[in-house]
Amino acid sequence: MSTDRGAQRLAALYREGQRFWSTPTGEAIRCAERACLGPVCERLFGMHSLELGFGSVLADMCPVRHAMQWAPTRELAQGASTLVCSPDALPLPDDSLSLVVVHHLLEVAPDPHHMLQEAARITADEGRLILFGWMPLSPMAMGRLSPARRQRLPWRGQWRSPNRLRDWLAFVDFEIERVDYCAFHLPGRLPRNALFETLGRRYNLPLGDSYMIQAQRRPQLIETRRSGLRFTAPLGGAAFGAARLEPDHRVARQLTVQERGMTESE
């Protein structure tokens, strides 16, 4: 698939997602998810954040100074702080964002593994990576029983459980801190019942339409030691030049001084 064709496909998906999130069902679910995200945002401070998704801003209560949105094309950009790119090729530095929110995009992204790698790459060590997904067993999931509905958002794509995403996050050196469930309701009803939402949130029952994963980078438990060998030429064969290993004399001198000090102390 060419780059232009991929951008057009993402643009069509983006417009379809905007239509769903503007419906009464989409607005009710967004309101419930925003209530889940609020306590997390109140504890976060930093310079930059990014939201990857189809709906309007979800983390607008967050005190992060510079909040960015995402769009697949310039025509769909909603402001000067919109990042226009493919979601699996984010033009941002490593470890640069205090908050990254992926809102129901892993289910339908063309390359979800690579997109998650990119989202993890740009999340700072002390930052948070937030993933919103659809619960495979929920009132909303009953709509996936209809083949016609499975061709439309939000029922299309691959719905993955939090346990499955735990394995994905471990691959990119992130770990789940907490999973919250959102949007509780009876089948055929909108998730606007305050009693259901209160009980579901209080006991964190895995019965809501969606879930919110809070993830953070794993602490580095092993300190990498500098090698005493260095390459004097690039690696490779004839096309890249020859390479050989030589001792790093600076490291050797340091080791000699340390050993001499240990001998004198004994």
Side-chain angles (χ1 to χ4, degrees):
M1 180 182 295
S2 66
T3 303
D4 292 341
R5 187 176 300 177
Q8 293 174 4
R9 179 184 174 187
L10 277 173
L13 198 63
Y14 190 95
R15 294 188 181 94
E16 184 181 353
Q18 285 185 316
R19 288 193 293 269
F20 167 73
W21 290 108
S22 64
T23 64
T25 300
E27 290 178 351
I29 295 175
R30 179 186 175 278
C31 183
E33 292 177 340
R34 191 173 183 274
C36 286
L37 183 60
V40 180
C41 284
E42 292 174 356
R43 300 190 299 268
L44 280 178
F45 296 90
M47 292 295 297
H48 308 285
S49 67
L50 173 66
E51 288 191 37
L52 297 163
F54 302 134
S56 55
V57 178
L58 197 67
D60 52 356
M61 80 294 285
C62 189
V64 174
R65 297 182 182 179
H66 179 217
M68 294 179 288
Q69 291 181 268
W70 165 81
T73 62
R74 291 184 179 273
E75 293 76 15
L76 295 172
Q78 299 181 14
S81 294
T82 300
L83 190 68
V84 178
C85 62
S86 173
D88 56 9
L90 302 175
L92 295 171
D94 296 354
D95 310 327
S96 58
L97 304 186
S98 302
L99 174 66
V100 178
V101 178
V102 181
H103 186 252
H104 296 288
L105 194 55
L106 285 174
E107 292 92 341
V108 293
D111 191 349
H113 290 89
H114 198 180
M115 191 188 74
L116 182 61
Q117 290 178 13
E118 281 289 276
R121 177 185 64 80
I122 63 175
T123 303
D125 290 344
E126 301 301 324
R128 292 296 184 277
L129 175 60
I130 306 294
L131 306 178
F132 282 95
W134 299 113
M135 280 293 290
L137 297 176
S138 65
M140 175 71 77
M142 295 180 64
R144 289 170 58 84
L145 298 177
S146 169
R149 280 193 172 186
R150 289 178 71 100
Q151 303 302 315
R152 308 195 308 267
L153 287 178
W155 299 280
R156 66 188 298 181
Q158 298 291 327
W159 290 20
R160 303 172 181 91
S161 68
N163 284 334
R164 180 66 184 278
L165 291 183
R166 186 185 302 275
D167 297 334
W168 286 27
L169 287 165
F171 183 77
V172 293
D173 295 328
F174 271 67
E175 59 185 3
I176 293 180
E177 292 183 312
R178 180 180 171 86
V179 179
D180 289 284
Y181 301 96
C182 321
F184 300 89
H185 64 99
L186 294 174
R189 302 290 184 89
L190 291 179
R192 287 178 175 170
N193 189 299
L195 178 61
F196 285 172
E197 195 69 23
T198 299
L199 292 176
R201 291 282 307 281
R202 178 180 298 171
Y203 298 104
N204 205 24
L205 301 174
L207 301 174
D209 281 342
S210 65
Y211 55 83
M212 181 186 74
I213 293 176
Q214 301 179 45
Q216 188 177 21
R217 194 179 306 278
R218 286 178 172 176
Q220 299 297 325
L221 301 179
I222 301 176
E223 182 179 356
T224 303
R225 296 185 62 181
R226 183 177 177 182
S227 173
L229 299 175
R230 60 186 176 88
F231 290 103
T232 60
L235 284 175
F240 298 96
R244 65 180 184 273
L245 286 171
E246 289 185 354
D248 191 329
H249 298 293
R250 290 174 298 178
V251 176
R253 285 196 296 269
Q254 293 175 1
L255 292 175
T256 302
V257 171
Q258 293 176 359
E259 292 173 357
R260 186 180 302 167
M262 293 175 61
T263 303
E264 293 176 354
S265 64
E266 292 176 354

